[in-house]
Amino acid sequence: MAATTTSLLGILLLFFLDCASAYTDPTIVKDPQILEPGENMKDAILRCNLTDPPSRIDGHVWKKDDVEIPTTRDSSSSPIMEYKLDAVDAKHSGEYTCHFFTTPAVNETIFVKAPPGVNAEKKSEHGNEGDYGVLICRSTGFPSVENWSWSRQTKAGIELIVNGTKNFHIKNMGNKTELRISQLGIEQDQGEYFCNATNEIGARVETIHLRVRGRYAAVWPFLGIVAEVIVLVAIIFIYEKRRKPDEISDDDEQGSAPLKSNSSTNHKDQNIRQRNSN
């Protein structure tokens, strides 16, 4: 009896070993492994090939940064997935994952890398003399920015701005950088500034033009309005002053005519009375 039990256990063990040796883990061959921009590269195709699927393939979907890409979901049973990139730049960079609907589900990730995209919050910034100004740049893309730097155009050339020197203060916050300039001056601070972002793939720069207005620049429009009002009042006053003497002389002429008519009437009455008395 014991020998029979041992034989059965041996047979079961061999069966499980055969099943284990026959089963192979599913493998996704991805092309490319990592995509980086090259010379004259305008577009690219990401490809995943599933070998030895664990079950029937009921469909696929592509995701970028764990967000499903619209129109990529299907119910095809093909072991090959492809996705075309229109460009290899900061906008299209990120983590692309190909998902196969199997049991269990399997997936693989392709990293698309590019130099950072840099955008200024305002291409042209304004400030008043004596106040402080703030210039802001932001970055996009994958991988993230490793270093930010600021510089500016001077008469002597490009000057690297060092944090804490003169009236400059730099604050870096991941994908955002700020350059604060205290006590703005027209001569020393007005001009072009450059924010530079660098990651492991490359660097990009953005230009911001800073205009500094005089301390009393905001008063000039008000003074202009006041001057216009004064000129208008003066014109009205002169017009009224010239018009009044003409009106008075006209009134005098109109008032003297009736007096002359009355005197002539009186003379006629006297002549009639004299004739009657005679």
Side-chain angles (χ1 to χ4, degrees):
M1 185 69 178
T4 304
T5 303
T6 303
S7 299
L8 290 173
L9 290 174
I11 293 171
L12 290 173
L13 180 61
L14 290 174
F15 174 77
F16 283 117
L17 289 175
D18 289 339
C19 290
S21 60
Y23 177 78
T24 57
D25 292 332
T27 302
I28 298 178
V29 179
K30 55 185 182 180
D31 181 30
Q33 297 285 326
I34 297 176
L35 179 62
E36 297 181 2
E39 294 183 2
N40 301 322
M41 180 180 289
K42 296 182 179 180
D43 54 25
I45 294 178
L46 308 181
R47 181 180 291 105
C48 289
N49 184 4
L50 175 60
T51 62
D52 300 317
S55 69
R56 184 183 66 183
I57 300 174
D58 294 324
H60 326 80
V61 69
W62 282 94
K63 292 185 179 182
K64 180 189 177 189
D65 300 327
D66 207 29
V67 177
E68 183 174 325
I69 301 175
T71 71
T72 62
R73 179 181 289 268
D74 62 41
S75 56
S76 171
S77 60
S78 172
I80 297 176
M81 295 178 60
E82 290 186 348
Y83 182 72
K84 182 178 180 180
L85 298 177
D86 295 330
V88 184
D89 54 14
K91 178 181 178 181
H92 295 87
S93 64
E95 299 180 7
Y96 289 81
T97 307
C98 53
H99 291 261
F100 289 87
F101 298 152
T102 56
T103 305
V106 292
N107 61 75
E108 190 59 82
T109 300
I110 299 175
F111 295 97
V112 178
K113 300 182 178 182
V118 183
N119 298 290
E121 191 166 281
K122 292 183 180 179
K123 296 281 189 179
S124 181
E125 187 62 81
H126 302 267
N128 295 324
E129 186 179 15
D131 292 342
Y132 71 89
V134 180
L135 309 182
I136 300 175
C137 284
R138 302 178 187 273
S139 70
T140 58
F142 175 83
S144 59
V145 172
E146 298 174 345
N147 181 62
W148 284 103
S149 64
W150 285 88
S151 56
R152 65 172 182 163
Q153 181 70 51
T154 65
K155 294 180 179 178
I158 302 297
E159 175 189 1
L160 180 65
I161 298 175
V162 179
N163 187 25
T165 59
K166 297 182 181 179
N167 55 337
F168 299 117
H169 302 278
I170 300 173
K171 185 177 181 181
N172 298 329
M173 298 160 284
N175 67 338
K176 176 183 176 182
T177 181
E178 290 183 358
L179 173 63
R180 290 181 174 265
I181 309 171
S182 59
Q183 296 295 316
L184 286 173
I186 296 176
E187 294 295 329
Q188 65 269 28
D189 295 320
Q190 185 168 259
E192 290 187 337
Y193 288 77
F194 311 100
C195 59
N196 185 288
T198 305
N199 64 10
E200 64 181 73
I201 304 301
R204 291 291 184 269
V205 65
E206 181 72 352
T207 303
I208 303 175
H209 189 79
L210 175 63
R211 291 182 174 87
V212 181
R213 296 173 292 195
R215 185 181 298 273
Y216 303 105
V219 180
W220 290 117
F222 174 75
L223 295 178
I225 295 173
V226 172
E228 290 179 359
V229 172
I230 293 173
V231 171
L232 181 61
V233 171
I235 291 173
I236 295 173
F237 177 77
I238 294 172
Y239 173 76
E240 292 291 334
K241 189 174 182 181
R242 289 183 177 181
R243 189 174 67 88
K244 285 182 178 181
D246 295 338
E247 291 179 351
I248 293 173
S249 61
D250 292 342
D251 293 341
D252 291 343
E253 291 177 358
Q254 292 176 0
S256 61
L259 292 176
K260 184 176 181 180
S261 175
N262 291 336
S263 63
S264 61
T265 304
N266 292 334
H267 285 297
K268 289 180 180 180
D269 291 341
Q270 290 178 359
N271 291 334
I272 293 172
R273 288 175 182 175
Q274 288 177 358
R275 289 176 183 176
N276 292 334
S277 61
N278 293 333

